[in-house]
Amino acid sequence: MPPLDATKYIMRLSEAINAHQPQTTASRPLFDECLMALDKVGIRTDYDLLLQSDVLDQTPAKLHRHIRTLRMAVLEHFASPGRTAADLLSATEPLVAIQSGIDPLDALLNGGIVCGQIVELCSKEAAINTQLTIEYATAHLTSSRSSSARVIMLLSGPLVLWQVEQSLSRRLKGHSKPDRLRLFRQAMERLLVVDCRELESLLSFLYQYADTRVVGADDANGQFSDLLVIDSIRPLIIDAMQQPTGGHVAVHAVKTVLHEITSAMRELPVAVLVTNGVSQRSSQLEPDRRPNGHQYLRHSQPSLGPSWGLVSHVHIYIYPELLPVNDDDDTFNADPKASGNFIAVVLKSPYTNAGQTRILRQLHP
């Protein structure tokens, strides 16, 4: 999370607090004194200030009035103002899912990715995750439903842009050449690539996005316009997890801001697509279970531990189809070239039973 002196809504209070500074004093501004006093007791972010209830017992009495002001601002920032059920129903009625065009995968997502959802694709193969996120991104960019549709891709490299170009070319090949060039340019102009190589840069972007995003004129009908893609989350958080308690703080920070931008309480929440690796709770498999069955996957979970498992609303695990080497034994071949197919299975979903599976014949429409 950004420090207090880099948090916009906190910095807006500096002028009001400094206005209480005695005219005759040449000491440090009151606002700066408050930040220094808070830093001395370990309060460096707005979240720290929210959690530490005994802050007044540990700071100078002359600053209590102003620290209360800062704390109230934090409480108001994190509090939800609430919306009526009628407003929420009206806002969600016109929503249309983003479909990748890979029908089995879209079916597992109950039609696709919709506004207000955080969908997590998990695989041991990073290339699988990246390819599928690109398909959802280009599907959104070429959708005829909204000319304001945008995709924001985080952690993307030059190779990803080439893959986006290839995917767009496949989706637009049915158009005439002039239309194809025009639609391709329009799609690329609505693709924003953000290079976030550290957790701090990711959080800074997400906080800024949450604070500044406004509803555009084309979004008056309530349809979302943005798909936010984070590919891949694991390298950013894994370093923080090596620090004492750092992993939990990092996960909570990402969870808080992602849930904020996807909240139904916002006028226009977004759809978020995250990719992650897979870890095993146990390496022991029951001998009578076939690897392609759901029971084989019951020890699987997204990387980054149980606390990260609470961040996304939907987890889909994708892995190569395993084929028996011989018809008479239980030896399996994990080489995806053996079948060319992949299996997608639901690990967590609010609308699909865990264990639902689909075979993906290919990773593009």
Side-chain angles (χ1 to χ4, degrees):
M1 290 186 173
L4 286 172
D5 60 0
T7 306
K8 290 183 180 180
Y9 75 93
I10 292 292
M11 293 304 296
R12 294 190 191 106
L13 298 173
S14 61
E15 185 175 346
I17 291 177
N18 288 335
H20 295 277
Q21 186 95 12
Q23 296 294 327
T24 57
T25 181
S27 62
R28 183 179 288 106
L30 277 174
F31 183 78
D32 294 346
E33 284 194 52
C34 290
L35 296 188
M36 289 186 63
L38 293 172
D39 184 76
K40 286 182 179 179
V41 297
I43 298 177
R44 299 178 178 86
T45 69
D46 54 357
Y47 187 66
D48 295 336
L49 188 56
L50 180 69
L51 291 184
Q52 196 156 333
S53 59
D54 61 345
V55 59
L56 296 183
D57 296 334
Q58 304 182 55
T59 52
K62 70 172 185 176
L63 301 177
H64 286 180
R65 173 185 177 183
H66 310 302
I67 290 177
R68 286 194 190 96
T69 299
L70 293 174
R71 186 171 169 79
M72 287 304 299
V74 173
L75 289 171
E76 291 175 3
H77 178 75
F78 281 97
S80 170
R83 294 177 65 184
T84 68
D87 288 342
L88 292 175
L89 183 61
S90 175
T92 56
E93 282 179 342
L95 295 179
V96 180
I98 300 174
Q99 297 181 332
S100 66
I102 306 172
D103 294 339
L105 182 58
D106 292 334
L108 285 182
L109 292 171
N110 200 32
I113 304 172
V114 299
C115 157
Q117 279 189 344
I118 304 172
V119 175
E120 186 168 339
L121 301 180
C122 308
S123 177
K124 294 181 179 179
E125 303 292 336
I128 295 176
N129 288 336
T130 299
Q131 181 61 46
L132 293 175
T133 59
I134 288 173
E135 294 307 328
Y136 277 107
T138 56
H140 190 44
L141 291 171
T142 55
S143 171
S144 60
R145 301 187 186 101
S146 175
S147 60
S148 65
R150 294 192 312 171
V151 172
I152 302 170
M153 299 191 73
L154 310 181
L155 320 178
S156 301
L159 178 60
V160 172
L161 292 179
W162 178 81
Q163 291 174 290
V164 168
E165 180 182 3
Q166 298 301 307
S167 179
L168 283 174
S169 297
R170 285 196 303 270
R171 292 183 180 276
L172 299 175
K173 65 181 181 180
H175 296 270
S176 64
K177 185 175 182 180
D179 286 344
R180 199 162 56 239
L181 293 175
R182 174 179 57 82
L183 293 172
F184 178 84
R185 182 175 184 82
Q186 289 176 353
M188 294 299 282
E189 287 175 348
R190 288 183 278 110
L191 172 63
L192 176 64
V193 179
V194 181
D195 187 10
C196 296
R197 302 188 183 187
E198 298 177 350
L199 180 62
E200 290 77 9
S201 59
L202 172 66
L203 286 172
S204 295
F205 173 81
L206 291 176
Y207 281 122
Q208 181 182 20
Y209 180 82
D211 287 342
T212 61
R213 185 170 183 271
V214 295
V215 179
D218 292 336
D219 301 316
N221 61 358
Q223 291 188 4
F224 68 95
S225 61
D226 285 359
L227 171 64
L228 182 64
V229 177
I230 304 178
D231 181 32
S232 133
I233 192 65
R234 187 177 187 278
L236 297 182
I237 294 183
I238 197 67
D239 288 340
M241 296 186 74
Q242 308 303 321
Q243 307 299 325
T245 71
H248 296 294
V249 173
V251 168
H252 184 83
V254 175
K255 173 186 174 183
T256 299
V257 69
L258 288 182
H259 283 202
E260 165 66 19
I261 64 178
T262 56
S263 171
M265 296 299 176
R266 292 174 66 90
E267 283 190 69
L268 196 64
V270 305
V272 177
L273 181 58
V274 181
T275 68
N276 194 1
V278 178
S279 61
Q280 297 289 328
R281 297 188 184 95
S282 171
S283 60
Q284 299 298 318
L285 300 179
E286 297 183 18
D288 60 337
R289 301 294 187 182
R290 290 279 176 154
N292 283 323
H294 173 54
Q295 291 297 327
Y296 173 77
L297 304 171
R298 66 193 182 97
H299 298 297
S300 299
Q301 65 179 2
S303 293
L304 304 176
S307 58
W308 176 260
L310 302 175
V311 176
S312 301
H313 303 119
V314 180
H315 295 149
I316 304 290
Y317 179 26
I318 302 166
Y319 61 98
E321 184 179 31
L322 305 177
L323 299 177
V325 176
N326 299 307
D327 293 337
D328 299 330
D329 64 27
D330 290 332
T331 304
F332 283 78
N333 185 354
D335 182 2
K337 294 180 181 178
S339 70
N341 297 333
F342 296 86
I343 293 179
V345 58
V346 176
L347 298 183
K348 172 185 172 183
S349 173
Y351 45 71
T352 305
N353 292 334
Q356 291 285 325
T357 61
R358 295 289 188 277
I359 295 178
L360 310 183
R361 304 296 179 185
Q362 54 189 8
L363 298 181
H364 59 79

